[in-house]
C-alpha cells in the first residue's frame, strides 16, 4: 500500500500540469497512466495556446523552450467567398496567441516531472477508484503483473474522454450534455513551409478547410470529411487537391505540397458533464468536457481547469479551507459553457452541415456582417485569445 495526497489518473497535459504545479507547492501526487511514455509523447493534437495558458506553463517552470520556439500570432484569417479576411487579435482584444504543439507541451511537462523525481507510473492497467464519497479514496491498479493500492486525500480524474473516472461517479449524480457533429476533420502534417504566416479557417461550399503550422518548416492542414470517412481513401495527392479547392485562391496558390508525415481523422463533438466534482473526485480537462477543434480551445480549457484545481488544493493544504475546492465545479463550468458556446458557434459558422443552399447563404451573410462590424470582430477576437480569469495566477 502507498499513500499520497493527490492521486492523478492520466498523464496527458492535464494530469502532468497539475502534478507539476502541485509539486512546486509542496503537494505530493502520484500519476497513473494507462499508456507508455513514448505513446503519450507521440500523440499529435492541436497547437494554439492562449496567453493565459502560456503564463500557467511559465508558472509551472516549463516555459523556457516554449518561449524560444513558439510562433506568436497577432491575428488569424477567415476565408470565405474567395477572400481571406484578417481578424486582428492584438488590436481588437489586446493579446496574441502562441502556436506551439500540444505534443511539445506534453514533452516539456514530462521532462520537468521526471527531472524532479515524479512518481509517474506508465502502463498502469485496470485502474479503479473507490471511496470517493466517504472521504477515504483508494485507487487500485495493476502494474508489471502485480496489484497495487494507493490511498489519497483527493483523486484528480485527468483521464480524458474515454477514462474511467467520470464512470466512477454514480449515474444519478451526474448529467451529460452532448452534441455530435455530422462530420470529422481529416488532418495532415507535412514538412513543408506553411502557406500563410497566420492560421486560416476557410468556409467553402465543398466543406471547411484550414491552414495551420507547427513551425516555419512544418505545416498542419485540415479538411472537413464525413464522420465515417476511410483514411485509406485519401492519398496525399487527393488531400492536397481538395484542400486547395476549399481555400481562397491567394492562399491555395501559396500551399507547398509534400509527403504527409501523419494523417488522421478526428470526430467532432461538444460534451460537458455537470458537476465536475463528486466527493473527493475532481474531473479535469477532456474527462469533463470536449469541444470541437474549431477555435483550438481543448487544451486551453483543460489548462483553465488545472489552474482552478491547483489553486484550490494549495489553499486547502495551506490554510485548511476547502472553500475554493467546493466551488471548483461552479468556477470551471462558468468558463467552460462560454467556451463550448464559442466553439459550437465557430464550428457552425465554418462547416458544411448539409446541401441546403439557404444555410450556406446565411453563413456567408454572417461572415460578411463580421467584416463590416467592429463589434462582431471584437467578440470573436476576445473569445479566440481567451476569456479572463476570476483569480490572478
Ligand atoms: N487509466 C489511466 N490512464 C488513462 C485511463 C485509465 N483508465 N484512461 C485514459 N487514460 C490516459 C490516456 O492514456 C491519456 O494519456 O489519460 C490521458 C488523458 O489525456 P488527454 O486525453 O490528452 O486529456 P487531457 O490531459 O485532459 O488533455 C486535454 O484537451 O482537447 C484536448 O487535445 C486536447 O488532449 C488535449 C486535451
Ligand atoms: C492545429 O494547429 O492543429 C490547430 C490550430 C487551430 C485550431 C485547431 C487545430 O483551431
Amino acid at each position: 500500500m502507498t499513500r499520497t495526497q493527490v492521486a492523478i489518473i492520466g498523464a496527458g497535459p492535464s494530469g502532468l500540469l497539475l502534478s507539476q504545479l502541485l509539486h512546486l507547492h509542496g503537494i505530493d501526487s502520484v500519476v497513473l497512466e494507462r499508456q507508455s511514455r513514448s505513446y503519450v509523447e507521440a500523440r499529435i493534437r492541436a497547437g494554439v495556446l492562449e496567453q493565459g495558458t502560456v503564463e500557467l506553463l511559465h508558472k509551472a517552470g516549463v516555459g523556457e523552450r516554449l518561449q524560444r520556439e513558439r510562433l506568436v500570432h497577432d491575428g488569424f484569417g477567415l476565408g470565405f467567398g474567395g477572400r481571406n479576411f484578417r481578424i486582428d487579435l492584438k488590436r481588437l482584444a489586446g493579446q496574441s496567441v502562441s502556436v506551439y504543439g500540444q505534443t511539445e507541451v506534453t514533452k516539456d511537462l514530462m521532462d520537468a516531472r521526471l527531472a524532479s523525481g515524479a512518481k509517474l507510473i506508465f502502463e498502469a492497467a485496470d485502474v479503479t477508484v473507490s471511496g470517493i464519497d466517504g472521504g477515504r479514496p483508494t485507487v487500485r491498479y495493476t502494474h508489471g503483473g502485480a496489484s497495487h493500492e494507493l490511498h489519497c486525500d483527493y483523486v484528480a480524474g485527468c483521464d480524458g474522454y474515454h477514462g474511467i473516472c467520470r464512470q466512477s461517479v454514480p449515474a444519478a449524480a451526474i448529467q451529460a450534455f452532448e452534441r455530435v457533429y455530422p462530420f470529422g476533420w481529416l488532418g495532415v502534417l507535412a514538412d513543408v513551409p506553411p502557406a500563410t504566416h497566420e492560421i486560416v479557417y476557410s468556409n467553402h461550399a465543398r466543406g471547411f478547410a484550414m491552414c495551420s503550422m507547427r513551425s516555419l518548416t512544418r505545416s498542419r492542414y485540415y479538411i472537413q470529411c464525413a464522420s465515417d470517412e476511410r483514411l485509406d481513401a485519401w492519398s496525399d495527392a487527393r488531400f492536397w487537391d481538395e484542400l486547395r479547392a476549399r481555400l481562397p485562391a491567394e492562399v491555395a496558390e501559396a500551399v507547398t505540397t509534400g509527403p504527409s508525415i501523419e494523417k488522421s481523422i478526428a470526430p467532432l463533438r461538444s460534451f460537458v458533464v455537470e458537476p465536475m466534482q463528486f466527493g473527493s473526485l475532481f474531473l479535469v480537462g477532456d474527462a469533463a468536457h470536449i469541444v470541437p477543434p474549431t477555435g483550438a480551445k481543448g487544451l486551453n480549457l483543460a489548462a483553465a481547469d488545472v489552474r482552478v484545481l491547483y489553486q484550490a488544493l494549495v489553499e486547502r493544504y495551506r490554510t485548511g479551507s476547502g472553500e475554493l475546492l467546493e466551488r471548483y465545479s461552479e468556477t470551471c463550468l462558468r468558463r467552460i459553457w462560454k467556451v463550448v458556446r464559442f466553439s459550437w458557434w465557430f464550428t457552425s459558422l465554418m462547416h458544411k452541415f448539409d446541401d441546403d443552399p439557404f444555410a450556406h447563404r446565411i453563413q456567408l451573410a454572417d461572415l460578411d456582417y463580421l467584416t463590416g462590424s467592429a463589434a462582431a470582430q471584437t467578440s470573436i477576437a476576445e473569445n479566440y485569445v481567451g476569456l479572463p480569469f476570476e483569480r490572478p495566477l
Side-chain angles (χ1 to χ4, degrees):
M1 190 206 51
T2 326
R3 227 204 105 71
T4 187
Q5 288 172 297
V6 184
I8 299 177
I9 319 300
S14 300
L16 291 170
L17 181 57
L18 179 65
S19 129
Q20 174 71 359
L21 286 161
L22 293 179
H23 164 73
L24 295 178
H25 289 79
I27 300 169
D28 186 62
S29 69
V30 173
V31 182
L32 300 177
E33 166 60 48
R34 183 170 56 181
Q35 305 286 357
S36 66
R37 177 180 177 182
S38 55
Y39 180 94
V40 172
E41 286 190 335
R43 276 193 299 234
I44 309 282
R45 297 269 177 85
V48 178
L49 307 181
E50 296 171 359
Q51 191 51 33
T53 305
V54 170
E55 283 160 18
L56 189 64
L57 291 168
H58 275 287
K59 181 103 186 171
V62 291
E64 199 235 330
R65 188 164 73 101
L66 163 63
Q67 200 62 25
R68 238 183 315 123
E69 295 183 10
R70 71 178 174 158
L71 302 174
V72 176
H73 284 192
D74 294 339
F76 68 88
L78 287 173
F80 69 103
R83 57 198 285 222
N84 182 20
F85 182 81
R86 182 167 189 262
I87 298 292
D88 191 332
L89 297 172
K90 193 77 190 255
R91 181 174 60 79
L92 294 160
Q95 284 182 44
S96 311
V97 292
S98 299
V99 171
Y100 188 73
Q102 182 180 319
T103 311
E104 309 312 314
V105 172
T106 306
K107 275 187 209 147
D108 295 344
L109 282 166
M110 197 84 89
D111 288 347
R113 286 288 42 226
L114 293 171
S116 49
K119 290 167 226 152
L120 238 164
I121 299 160
F122 292 100
E123 297 175 72
D126 313 318
V127 175
T128 61
V129 173
S130 58
I132 44 177
D133 50 350
R136 307 194 61 148
T138 302
V139 180
R140 294 186 176 84
Y141 62 100
T142 54
H143 185 248
S147 306
H148 299 269
E149 223 171 73
L150 178 62
H151 294 257
C152 56
D153 300 331
Y154 300 103
V155 179
C158 302
D159 51 351
Y161 180 68
H162 300 285
I164 50 98
C165 287
R166 192 175 66 246
Q167 285 149 28
S168 310
V169 178
I174 204 161
Q175 188 178 5
F177 302 83
E178 186 168 39
R179 172 133 319 174
V180 178
Y181 300 87
F183 41 74
W185 275 20
L186 169 60
V188 157
L189 193 65
D191 278 329
V192 292
T196 48
H197 293 300
E198 294 176 346
I199 292 172
V200 175
Y201 297 86
S202 180
N203 173 306
H204 195 275
R206 296 176 70 93
F208 170 78
M210 78 170 277
C211 311
S212 184
M213 66 286 292
R214 292 290 173 273
S215 70
L216 298 177
T217 55
R218 180 168 287 187
S219 301
R220 179 71 165 159
Y221 292 106
Y222 298 96
I223 55 172
Q224 175 183 348
C225 64
S227 312
D228 58 356
E229 193 71 60
R230 287 170 54 108
L231 206 49
D232 58 16
W234 286 88
S235 64
D236 287 355
R238 182 177 174 208
F239 179 86
W240 292 119
D241 285 347
E242 188 60 33
L243 174 74
R244 284 182 296 198
R246 297 180 185 191
L247 295 173
E250 58 171 296
V251 179
E253 280 156 22
V255 171
T256 306
T257 63
S260 64
I261 53 174
E262 195 259 0
K263 200 184 276 161
S264 54
I265 293 178
L268 264 67
R269 96 175 56 235
S270 299
F271 175 82
V272 183
V273 286
E274 293 184 4
M276 291 164 63
Q277 177 199 358
F278 180 77
S280 9
L281 170 69
F282 294 83
L283 298 174
V284 183
D286 277 17
H289 44 75
I290 298 287
V291 288
T294 335
K297 292 297 174 202
L299 174 59
N300 292 298
L301 210 45
D305 293 351
V306 170
R307 172 183 172 131
V308 175
L309 185 56
Y310 111 85
Q311 288 183 331
L313 286 167
V314 168
E315 184 191 69
R316 166 70 186 76
Y317 283 112
R318 197 174 276 162
T319 70
S321 164
E323 199 196 314
L324 287 183
L325 268 186
E326 274 153 37
R327 290 206 295 115
Y328 169 75
S329 183
E330 181 197 326
T331 307
C332 290
L333 284 165
R334 281 190 70 190
R335 182 186 192 83
I336 289 161
W337 274 113
K338 280 176 263 189
V339 175
V340 167
R341 185 215 61 92
F342 174 68
S343 305
W344 159 83
W345 171 79
F346 199 18
T347 300
S348 308
L349 178 67
M350 301 308 290
H351 290 74
K352 178 177 179 169
F353 281 72
D354 49 37
D355 289 321
D356 179 7
F358 179 84
H360 192 224
R361 284 291 190 281
I362 292 291
Q363 288 178 334
L364 294 177
D366 213 344
L367 284 159
D368 193 27
Y369 164 68
L370 196 77
T371 64
S373 163
Q377 287 171 45
T378 304
S379 170
I380 193 171
E382 277 175 1
N383 281 281
Y384 198 87
V385 300
L387 298 171
F389 287 93
E390 246 178 51
R391 291 168 64 86
L393 247 191

